[in-house]
Amino acid sequence: MAFIALGINHKTASVEVRERVAFGPDQLVGALQQLCQHVKGREAAILSTCNRSELYLDVEQINPELILQWLAEYHQLEFADLAKCAYVYTDKEAVRHMMRVACGLDSLVLGEPQILGQIKDSYNYARDAGTMGPLLGRLFQATFSTAKTVRTDTAIGENPVSVAFAAVSLAKQIFSDLSTSRALLIGAGETISLVARHLHEQGVKKIVVANRTLARAEELAQEFAGEAVLLSDIPDELVKSDIVISSTASQLPILGKGAVERALKQRKHQPIFMVDIAVPRDIEAEVGELSDVYLYSVDDLHEVVSENLKSRQGAAKAAEDLVVRGAQDFMQRLRELSAVDVLRAFRQQGEQLRDEELEKAQRSLANGTPAEEVLAQLARGLTNKFLHAPSVQLKRLTADGRNEALNLAQELFGLNTGEPSK
């Protein structure tokens, strides 16, 4: 048994390299089967995200170059170029690395929760490919258990450390029940996409996306059963919106004080929560002077993110300790399992010797031999046969100079000979 974790991530490889080494969902089953054939591995799984591509294997012999060669050939990359940014962990360190990844301790955003779901996906793909066996399966289950403990016993994932999530968290502080709120999102880029996803996860059912290009707004809105409008429709939408979050590339403000003031009058001064994530700003700073408007800038969010990141970094130390303990416990259980086959064979041998001697005893009784004599012979026969193989092997080992076998025998059989063997 030898575990290997080999891969690249955001710390070791550029985005251009990571893109070329990524595996699409439709590639994974075939790639896993090819990988096992190439390296003669017994079990394998592949984790592929935007920030990392990693191979997890259980192999008979550790040969990282062979695995790296397959990865380079599969993605049509030069071996030397890939080797520069690849890392390899084996056995206990491979187990620890996999658990750190699952807990978000190796992520670009410390403690991010999505990675655990992605590892669960890699487990399912390996099962579909037939490359998930008992040893790697135990490792994945132990990893899931450790990640759950880290999430439960530490604050590693409690405080938001992305601008998008921080914006939604602030909204939750103002509106106790987001499910009754209507959100107007201005822009349709990556940040607004994340905001939309977080709002949807928090129960917001009415999401409107306003964008300069209607097609892009429609594409994003459809993901969350929302509506799409043009930037020119914003004044009408403001009246109906409780939450307004903006992130565009506009060089000039999109929302001015006058438009917001008119919307507040029509809303009968029901409060509006606004977050301006854009640089330059999308919302005029004067809007924040209005009563019933809660306006936050990207700088306000960065302060929240910075404080939360400090909190996560403090929790990360406790999480690291839990990962170390999880890796140690897993390796110990694995070592215990390695003794199972030997113990099973030892028991079978003992039962076979017992049955042979019992059969002799029964024949002797049938032939009229006194019971006391049969019992004595049975006891001698069992003792001699049970001790024969260990005695012969112990003498042979000590004759070969392997005197540590004597100490092991004393410990194994619970013997007390006075002094330890020299």
Side-chain angles (χ1 to χ4, degrees), residues 189-208:
E190 183 179 349
T191 300
I192 288 296
S193 296
L194 285 172
V195 169
R197 182 168 291 107
H198 292 315
L199 286 171
H200 184 72
E201 290 171 353
Q202 294 300 323
V204 176
K205 297 180 176 62
K206 298 175 182 176
I207 296 176
V208 178

Side-chain angles (χ1 to χ4, degrees), residues 166 170 295-306:
L170 285 172
L295 175 62
Y296 293 85
S297 70
V298 69
D299 289 341
D300 297 325
L301 295 183
H302 279 312
E303 288 180 16
V304 173
V305 168
S306 178

Side-chain angles (χ1 to χ4, degrees), residues 21-206:
V21 182
F23 293 85
D26 57 334
Q27 296 176 293
L28 283 169
V29 170
L32 283 164
Q33 293 168 346
Q34 286 183 34
L35 174 59
C36 282
Q37 290 174 359
H38 183 84
V39 302
K40 295 181 173 56
R42 294 173 294 196
E43 306 174 32
I46 296 174
L47 171 66
S48 187
T49 73
C50 58
N51 285 325
R52 72 180 65 243
S53 288
E54 294 187 343
L55 314 179
Y56 306 117
L57 299 102
D58 170 42
V59 294
E60 293 183 10
Q61 292 184 335
I62 296 175
N63 191 342
E65 286 192 3
L66 189 63
I67 301 169
L68 200 60
Q69 179 190 46
W70 174 84
L71 188 61
E73 290 177 356
Y74 187 89
H75 291 291
Q76 298 180 347
L77 291 166
E78 291 293 330
F79 178 88
D81 292 341
L82 191 56
K84 289 177 185 176
C85 51
Y87 45 82
V88 179
Y89 298 98
T90 60
D91 293 332
K92 184 179 177 181
E93 289 306 310
V95 171
R96 179 173 172 269
H97 173 74
M98 185 172 170
M99 290 181 175
R100 290 188 77 251
V101 170
C103 295
L105 293 170
D106 197 52
S107 295
L108 180 62
V109 177
L110 180 65
E112 59 98 359
Q114 288 83 6
I115 187 65
L116 179 58
Q118 291 164 333
I119 289 183
K120 288 181 177 178
D121 289 342
S122 75
Y123 171 79
N124 291 327
Y125 278 116
R127 288 183 61 186
D128 292 343
T131 61
M132 179 60 64
L135 290 175
L136 206 55
R138 286 190 180 97
L139 173 54
F140 268 85
Q141 294 304 324
T143 297
F144 299 151
S145 177
T146 298
K148 182 180 178 181
T149 301
V150 166
R151 293 284 164 187
T152 303
D153 296 356
T154 75
I156 189 72
E158 288 184 2
N159 299 309
V161 291
S162 74
V163 168
F165 196 25
V168 176
S169 298
L170 285 172
K172 285 177 64 179
Q173 294 177 21
I174 293 173
F175 301 100
S176 57
D177 184 7
L178 288 181
S179 65
T180 61
S181 301
R182 182 183 179 95
L184 170 62
L185 307 183
I186 304 174
E190 183 179 349
T191 300
I192 288 296
S193 296
L194 285 172
V195 169
R197 182 168 291 107
H198 292 315
L199 286 171
H200 184 72
E201 290 171 353
Q202 294 300 323
V204 176
K205 297 180 176 62
K206 298 175 182 176

